[in-house]
Amino acid sequence: MNFWNYVARRLVGIVFVLIGVSIITFLISHIVPGDPAAAALGDRAREEQVEAFRKQYGLDKPIPEQYVIYMRGLLQGDLGLSIRTRRPVAQDLAQKVPATIELSIAALLIAITLGVPAGIWSAVYRNRLPDHLVRIFALVGGSLPIFWMGLLMIGLFYNQLSLLPAGGRIDQFTPPPQTITGMYTVDSLLTGNMIAFQSSLHHLILPAFVLGYFSTAVIARMMRSSMLEVLNQDYLRTARAKGLKERAVILRHGFRNALIPTLTIIGITFGSLLSGAVLTETIFSWPGLGGYATSSAIGLDFPAVMGVTLLAAIIYPLSNLFVDLSYAWLDPRIRHG
Amino acid sequence: MKLFTRSMWVLGALLALVAIIACSPAGGVPQGAVQTVQAVATNVPGTVAAAATNVAPTVQAAATQANQAVATVQAVATAVPATVAAAVATQAPAPSGAENTIVWVKNIDDYITTDPAEGYEFSDWLAIHNIYDTLVKFEGKDLTNLKPGLAEKWDIKDAGDHWELTFTLKDGVKFASGNPLTSADVVYSWQRAINLNKSPAFLWTSTGGLTPESITAPDAKTVMLKMPKTASPTEFLNVMTAPPLGIVDSVEVKKHETTVDGKNDFGNTWLKSEGSAGSGPYALDHWTPQVEVLLKANPNAAVQPKTPNILIKHVPEAVNQQSLLEKGDADIAFDLTPEQITAVQSNKDLTTIKAGNLQIFYGGMNVAQKPLDNPKVREAIRYAIDYDGIVKDLLSGNAQVLQTIIPDGLLGANTETIFTRDVEKAKGLLKEAGVENGFDMEILVPTGNIGIVPMGDLAAKLQADLAEIGVNLKITQQPESELLATYRAAKGPIVLIRWGPDYADPNTNAAPFGDYSAGSIAKRNSWDDKTSAEMVNKAKLEPDSAKRVALYKELTEYIAHNGPYAVLFQPFQLLATRANVQGFDWNPMGYSDLWTISK
């Protein structure tokens, strides 16, 4: 089986995952106690309004029938109408997803950029001051709840130092860039709108750092342990015996081999960043998928919850597939098939 | 591999660089530069490219010192000045700076639409009220003195089998588009609301008893309504002050009508989120869900706002709202907790406001549950409650005691103290009812807070109060959506919940609480009382305001003693503003006349 067969097989697997996720999410969201009509209309709604609402959203039909209707719509690309926002879920998602992707990618970049060198540094200086510093950094990152961390960062960088804004995607008096990808930093660069770029970047730093800090800690620890393992291998001794400089030994021979387990973690981390974004987005008033998912769940907005879940169910396996494929790039001995 | 290692270092350098750029003064305080570009963008598009590229040198210099990746990015930025010009020039007209903008931070998760025929949430109404004028109105926080709005005068005539309401429109009123406002616009606006049949449609059909055919325009200045005798013209006049009754520009809206699911959408898709067509002081500039709503002064409005722009920013976290307000990045904060309000009171740059709020918190006692069917038991419970303790201690004075169904602020409000805690009297009443040894009863309570009220703590307070007369409450907390399903089905025991009026008329509370046939709160508590229902109807149909007030006093006292409710309090609406904000008044219905605000 060649490479493309492998990819195709994994993609087919994703389809089955989606079907499974759709059934489970649909069932769970429909059997939880609570009345979506009550959540949407509140206590002021009269009985006939509630009935009309249930009928409009098909909530008066048996659950299996509701599922069939939903899946029929889904196959035609229709994710349904949000109970809460009264807009098509697909339209809502299209508006929210780019903001979350932008935040998650920025967080991942920060996590990789800080976590990988920190891990290497820590391993090379094992049990010495740099190692202790990195371990403390990782411990703090792994222990501090995102919510608390976010508030601390706002307190420091916004309230005290006035260096970074407290929330939002762009300065309130700066028009957003023309929409191309929906990611403000990217769009502003593509359109050459440097004012919007500066402002959006300025707004991105704090939430991305808060979101990425936990992942930085995880990546640093993983990189440290895998690097330590690699540093004791015979081939590194051989490399040193050949007279290579220590820097070249570590970066050229050690780093590459230590990177594979870290890459797995990075793949998983990207998925968890999307879920971690829920809290970060709330604290930083970041109008992304996280806030949308939270409001939808609280408002018993089944179509929106389904939409968000299915989207996550696509992103998770796809990011894992991407990681799996990148193994071969790092280690030519690994072949898919 | 070498490539990977290098790319990692490049990535690191890039991140460091962008951090420096973003934290640089240009990134931190872009306002002046932004305004310059905005001015150019709106007025002289031809020079925008130059203005936009002038900002680049900082970036360019930094880029040359760093790496290729950034240089490439810069190349993209500088190599396509034409694109830059086009992009900046085609952006929507921008707001014109902090000094001309009131920034209101608020959780606007409930903002669903800007179409008056659809809006029925607090955040919707805040915008709609300021975009669309109504025929009659209340001013500021007053909800009892009806004033002319778009109609300069009106007349109510008894036409035998129906009421005839005639409105004469003011001359010279124009919409934001420049189109003159005529009676055809009023007829179109209200007929479309009925035909669209969204959440507010019941205001016309159920409250007013109107159909599309009963709204007519004999001439360009006159609107006539034919109302059935079962409806109250006085009540409907008060209903007409509600934001959904705002008048849209029919000429403009018709241009945007489209077909949705095989039906005419009457411009709903457009009015919902893209545009506005009102004659009010403001027009919608843009609404980005869960981000912001920007209102800009309507140049054709009869009343010009004191501040040209109102920016309502979605800031869900109260802590962030406080930070923004304290730093001066926001002018008004809406969702601060009582603790935050107390904390900012010592800040001389800020002003805190305790405004009116028409919500009432009450315990509904389902009379289908024994022994709550006995009026003496219900009266005993009302006498056992420590109302002052709830308001002063539990709510730190952020509410006022209210024991009747019509709150302070509405016509016919009854704020008298009918029940003062008297444990002995309560025990005596239980004895008379034959339950002197007390009883166990479940109380359903929504989880979390409702506004400033911690519902679990409130239930615990009631539990402690009632324990003294031998009534043992078992507290069950449920999400409000789950609790409401039980309550609607009249299956609740005691339910601790709140009610807010739909419009500024006492019947909005009297009918649900007092008339079983209204299918609302009385029904949820299985209380079918003919006397109460008759009193509700009589008060509703009374055309004379003074007589109405007297009738509502009788009704509220009757329900206070005989009804299945223990009404507890009405909370205040807590707000904080910057100290330099002037002319701000909070309408207890849940919105504000934004055009009177300045700073």
Side-chain angles (χ1 to χ4, degrees):
Chain A
M1 197 181 288
N2 64 20
F3 174 81
W4 291 111
N5 275 345
Y6 173 79
V7 173
R9 204 175 56 191
R10 290 286 299 267
L11 290 176
V12 170
I14 291 175
V15 173
F16 284 105
V17 167
L18 282 178
I19 293 171
V21 166
S22 72
I23 293 173
I24 293 167
T25 314
F26 199 88
L27 276 178
I28 290 174
S29 60
H30 281 71
I31 58 172
V32 291
D35 179 5
L41 301 174
D43 61 343
R44 300 191 293 184
R46 285 153 298 105
E47 303 305 320
E48 63 269 23
Q49 269 181 299
V50 173
E51 284 315 308
F53 186 89
R54 289 205 178 104
K55 202 171 173 186
Q56 185 191 349
Y57 285 90
L59 299 168
D60 54 340
K61 296 186 170 69
I63 290 177
E65 193 181 340
Q66 286 185 47
Y67 180 73
V68 170
I69 292 169
Y70 180 81
M71 289 308 284
R72 203 183 294 152
L74 190 64
L75 290 174
Q76 293 165 357
D78 179 10
L79 286 166
L81 203 63
S82 161
I83 288 176
R84 197 173 51 85
T85 69
R86 325 270 160 96
R87 300 193 313 160
V89 172
Q91 193 183 331
D92 282 345
L93 291 179
Q95 200 167 41
K96 306 290 177 194
V97 168
T100 298
I101 297 278
E102 182 178 38
L103 180 61
S104 300
I105 288 176
L108 192 65
L109 284 178
I110 288 174
I112 294 171
T113 314
L114 295 178
V116 170
I120 297 171
W121 199 42
S122 180
V124 171
Y125 292 94
R126 188 184 183 187
N127 289 334
R128 286 153 69 188
L129 184 64
D131 186 24
H132 295 317
L133 289 177
V134 170
R135 281 156 77 178
I136 291 169
F137 175 79
L139 186 71
V140 171
S143 322
L144 261 187
I146 282 185
F147 198 84
W148 181 236
M149 172 86 176
L151 292 177
L152 286 180
M153 289 288 131
I154 289 173
L156 178 65
F157 289 99
Y158 175 70
N159 289 37
Q160 299 299 324
L161 302 175
S162 300
L163 270 178
L164 294 166
R169 291 182 75 188
I170 197 161
D171 185 80
Q172 55 201 25
F173 300 110
T174 303
Q178 200 178 25
T179 302
I180 298 170
T181 65
M183 293 185 259
Y184 282 4
T185 44
V186 176
D187 290 351
S188 52
L189 277 178
L190 290 177
T191 56
N193 186 344
M194 295 314 290
I195 294 170
F197 175 67
Q198 276 186 301
S199 182
S200 52
L201 193 60
H202 196 222
H203 283 72
L204 182 61
I205 291 173
L206 213 48
F209 178 74
V210 168
L211 181 59
Y213 188 23
F214 177 78
S215 312
T216 308
V218 174
I219 290 171
R221 287 194 71 84
M222 176 54 76
M223 195 68 211
R224 177 184 181 273
S225 59
S226 50
M227 197 72 193
L228 282 175
E229 204 174 303
V230 168
L231 287 175
N232 293 325
Q233 296 293 319
D234 291 344
Y235 59 84
L236 281 209
R237 200 165 51 233
T238 309
R240 286 194 189 97
K242 275 173 23 186
L244 284 178
K245 284 182 183 170
E246 187 62 17
R247 182 187 167 85
V249 171
I250 290 166
L251 291 182
R252 207 175 294 165
H253 296 269
F255 172 61
R256 181 170 182 167
N257 289 293
L259 198 61
I260 291 178
T262 310
L263 202 63
T264 312
I265 290 294
I266 291 171
I268 296 167
T269 300
F270 186 67
S272 67
L273 283 175
L274 290 172
S275 53
V278 171
L279 289 173
T280 317
E281 287 179 4
T282 307
I283 302 163
F284 289 97
S285 312
W286 192 267
L289 208 54
Y292 182 70
T294 315
S295 306
S296 304
I298 292 169
L300 300 181
D301 187 349
F302 301 148
V305 169
M306 287 293 292
V308 172
T309 314
L310 288 177
L311 192 71
I314 292 172
I315 293 174
Y316 254 88
L318 276 183
S319 63
N320 278 332
L321 175 61
F322 183 74
V323 168
D324 288 350
L325 296 179
S326 64
Y327 289 155
W329 176 63
L330 276 173
D331 186 348
R333 290 172 301 175
I334 298 174
R335 288 287 172 267
H336 296 295
Chain B
M1 189 59 228
K2 198 185 282 180
L3 179 70
F4 185 83
T5 312
R6 279 184 189 165
S7 63
M8 290 295 290
W9 288 114
V10 168
L11 194 63
L14 178 64
L15 274 176
L17 177 71
V18 292
I20 292 164
I21 296 168
C23 291
S24 68
V29 193
Q31 219 163 285
V34 172
Q35 282 166 29
T36 314
V37 177
Q38 280 162 355
V40 176
T42 39
N43 300 328
V44 202
T47 55
V48 171
T53 45
N54 278 344
V55 189
T58 324
V59 184
Q60 210 164 24
T64 48
Q65 291 163 17
N67 54 53
Q68 254 183 332
V70 174
T72 314
V73 169
Q74 186 56 45
V76 174
T78 48
V80 281
T83 321
V84 176
V88 178
T90 52
Q91 282 163 4
S96 41
E99 69 280 9
N100 294 317
T101 307
I102 293 287
V103 180
W104 185 320
V105 286
K106 185 179 189 298
N107 185 341
I108 57 167
D109 217 12
D110 63 332
Y111 196 109
I112 289 174
T113 179
T114 316
D115 185 344
E118 186 177 26
Y120 213 67
E121 306 292 335
F122 286 115
S123 295
D124 300 343
W125 280 20
L126 180 59
I128 292 169
H129 171 68
N130 289 281
I131 298 173
Y132 296 95
D133 285 327
T134 48
L135 295 197
V136 292
K137 64 181 180 182
F138 291 120
E139 282 178 353
K141 57 189 171 194
D142 171 57
L143 295 177
T144 51
N145 296 301
L146 209 58
K147 300 271 172 66
L150 292 173
E152 61 184 7
K153 59 180 181 178
W154 56 92
D155 177 58
I156 301 170
K157 195 172 101 186
D158 187 342
D161 63 339
H162 66 274
W163 299 105
E164 213 167 79
L165 279 72
T166 309
F167 298 88
T168 307
L169 302 181
K170 283 178 183 167
D171 285 322
V173 178
K174 280 185 178 177
F175 288 108
S177 63
N179 295 330
L181 187 146
T182 69
S183 55
D185 296 301
V186 180
V187 173
Y188 175 80
S189 300
W190 290 3
Q191 286 181 343
R192 82 180 274 276
I194 295 172
N195 288 324
L196 278 171
N197 198 22
K198 304 278 185 187
S199 297
F202 84 97
L203 293 170
W204 289 268
T205 56
S206 175
T207 311
L210 298 171
T211 61
E213 295 72 36
S214 54
I215 306 163
T216 53
D219 61 58
K221 270 194 74 176
T222 312
V223 178
M224 192 174 277
L225 305 180
K226 270 187 182 177
M227 285 176 66
K229 277 296 180 77
T230 49
S232 159
T234 321
E235 180 187 20
F236 193 70
L237 280 173
N238 288 334
V239 168
M240 283 169 57
T241 64
L245 282 280
I247 306 306
V248 302
D249 179 345
S250 61
V251 177
E252 196 63 22
V253 175
K254 279 177 185 170
K255 286 182 199 165
H256 295 91
E257 286 183 350
T258 181
T259 304
V260 176
D261 295 333
K263 288 186 206 163
N264 184 354
D265 82 332
F266 294 101
N268 172 252
T269 309
W270 179 69
L271 276 185
K272 187 183 181 92
S273 57
E274 294 163 34
S276 65
S279 59
Y282 289 98
L284 177 73
D285 182 87
H286 69 263
W287 161 46
T288 311
Q290 287 186 314
V291 178
E292 64 189 24
V293 185
L294 178 64
L295 305 180
K296 301 197 105 181
N298 164 14
N300 291 319
V303 177
Q304 279 303 304
K306 290 192 172 165
T307 307
N309 307 309
I310 302 285
L311 182 65
I312 305 168
K313 293 279 293 182
H314 178 56
V315 180
E317 274 303 306
V319 178
N320 287 0
Q321 291 190 7
Q322 184 183 340
S323 294
L324 291 163
L325 191 69
E326 285 174 337
K327 296 275 283 182
D329 288 333
D331 299 302
I332 303 170
F334 186 78
D335 302 301
L336 300 192
T337 62
E339 294 75 23
Q340 287 177 297
I341 290 285
T342 308
V344 301
Q345 268 167 353
S346 56
N347 187 337
K348 285 179 185 164
D349 295 330
L350 306 182
T351 304
T352 56
I353 298 168
K354 263 188 196 178
N357 184 334
L358 298 177
Q359 289 196 338
I360 64 177
F361 283 73
Y362 70 96
M365 298 177 270
N366 190 345
V367 302
Q369 305 260 353
K370 285 187 183 303
L372 298 175
D373 58 329
N374 189 325
K376 288 188 176 168
V377 171
R378 304 199 296 265
E379 193 80 336
I381 288 174
R382 286 188 279 258
Y383 272 112
I385 296 170
D386 174 18
Y387 299 91
D388 283 340
I390 291 172
V391 165
K392 286 179 186 158
D393 301 330
L394 184 70
L395 300 173
S396 310
N398 291 314
Q400 58 181 321
V401 171
L402 180 80
Q403 297 175 341
T404 73
I405 58 160
I406 302 186
D408 190 15
L410 279 182
L411 182 87
N414 185 346
T415 55
E416 280 178 20
T417 303
I418 300 170
F419 305 101
T420 305
R421 189 171 199 228
D422 188 338
V423 173
E424 290 313 311
K425 186 170 184 176
K427 282 181 178 172
L429 283 162
L430 284 186
K431 195 173 178 183
E432 285 174 34
V435 282
E436 64 266 39
N437 294 326
F439 55 91
D440 296 340
M441 181 59 65
E442 189 183 14
I443 181 166
L444 294 184
V445 189
T447 47
N449 285 19
I450 293 184
I452 62 163
V453 183
M455 296 304 286
D457 294 348
L458 180 59
K461 169 68 178 156
L462 292 180
Q463 187 184 45
D465 288 351
L466 297 193
E468 288 191 39
I469 61 165
V471 176
N472 302 308
L473 292 181
K474 178 182 167 268
I475 299 172
T476 304
Q477 285 196 275
Q478 292 178 342
E480 197 175 353
S481 58
E482 188 182 343
L483 180 148
L484 281 174
T486 311
Y487 193 33
R488 278 215 176 89
K491 288 179 182 164
I494 296 179
V495 175
L496 189 58
I497 188 90
R498 58 94 162 78
W499 173 261
D502 286 300
Y503 46 87
D505 186 89
N507 194 49
T508 189
N509 279 20
F513 279 95
D515 184 359
Y516 184 90
S517 68
S520 186
I521 303 173
K523 189 179 174 194
R524 292 172 196 174
N525 289 287
S526 314
W527 188 60
D528 190 0
D529 187 299
K530 298 284 176 283
T531 310
S532 173
E534 281 167 17
M535 290 169 86
V536 167
N537 209 34
K538 192 177 170 192
K540 178 182 93 166
L541 293 174
E542 173 57 53
D544 183 88
S545 285
K547 286 182 186 166
R548 269 191 107 194
V549 169
L551 288 172
Y552 280 118
K553 187 167 191 310
E554 279 175 35
L555 172 71
T556 49
E557 280 172 1
Y558 179 82
I559 293 178
H561 287 295
N562 299 284
Y565 318 110
V567 182
L568 305 172
F569 59 87
Q570 67 180 111
F572 294 121
Q573 177 64 54
L574 303 179
L575 296 115
T577 69
R578 295 290 300 173
N580 62 344
V581 170
Q582 306 288 320
F584 175 72
D585 245 340
W586 180 251
N587 183 318
M589 279 302 295
Y591 43 83
S592 177
D593 297 345
L594 299 175
W595 60 88
T596 62
I597 306 175
S598 63
K599 62 175 180 178

